[in-house]
Amino acid sequence: MDGSRHEIRELLAAARGGAALYRRAQARVADVRLRALFAEYARTRDRLAAEFAAAAGEPGAGGRDTAGRWLRTAYTDWLTRRGPDRDAAWIAELEEAEDALLDAIEDALDGGVPPGLRALLAARLPEVRAGHDRMRALKRTRH
């Protein structure tokens, strides 16, 4: 697989995986404000994944289950059931997912992705960075 195809798959996996993690977190957190925020972020990440896939011409690429993704899911579920503040544990995991999406976008922008996708990524980068920064701020206030 060439580099740009790998970057596209990583990008789509990060966006789709983040959306799935937000949906899981939304169903499991106690704070109703977090539930609303996580539902909004899940929809946003789904939209981003669809836009990225359409721009890349790869609607079915990325987001497939892998052993690594399954292990990460199991670890996240285990981790977020421990400790007195489970909502904080979910926030920490979601901030890591935001890191992964931001890294995937930056890698794709630095790589050889198609021009249409590059333009879309550049346009969406501020939105993704704002989501990342919000999760980071939430994490800092909860820890």
Side-chain angles (χ1 to χ4, degrees):
M1 177 185 315
D2 68 9
S4 69
R5 195 168 225 47
H6 174 75
E7 290 161 350
I8 291 167
R9 290 184 187 280
E10 290 297 313
L11 174 68
L12 295 176
R16 290 173 178 156
L21 186 60
Y22 274 109
R23 281 191 293 277
R24 280 201 351 266
Q26 182 219 353
R28 291 177 171 92
V29 295
D31 186 322
V32 294
R33 291 170 300 197
L34 288 176
R35 282 189 212 145
L37 178 66
F38 295 170
E40 174 190 338
Y41 275 40
R43 287 188 300 273
T44 299
R45 298 308 174 255
D46 281 334
R47 177 183 50 81
L48 290 172
E51 289 177 356
F52 297 162
E58 302 217 9
R64 289 187 289 261
D65 286 335
T66 63
R69 190 164 302 136
W70 181 87
L71 287 172
R72 181 71 188 175
T73 299
Y75 172 74
T76 299
D77 287 343
W78 173 82
L79 182 67
T80 56
R81 285 193 297 260
R82 301 174 50 84
D85 191 351
R86 293 177 181 162
D87 289 2
W90 277 108
I91 291 167
E93 290 300 304
L94 290 164
E95 196 258 341
E96 286 188 27
E98 290 295 325
D99 285 342
L101 179 57
L102 192 56
D103 288 346
I105 290 172
E106 290 170 347
D107 288 348
L109 285 169
D110 290 342
V113 297
L117 177 57
R118 179 180 300 284
L120 178 62
L121 293 174
R124 296 297 183 256
L125 185 58
E127 175 184 8
V128 172
R129 192 167 278 133
H132 172 270
D133 293 348
R134 183 147 187 211
M135 280 300 117
R136 179 182 292 163
L138 278 172
K139 180 180 171 183
R140 287 180 178 157
T141 62
R142 298 296 290 248
H143 282 86

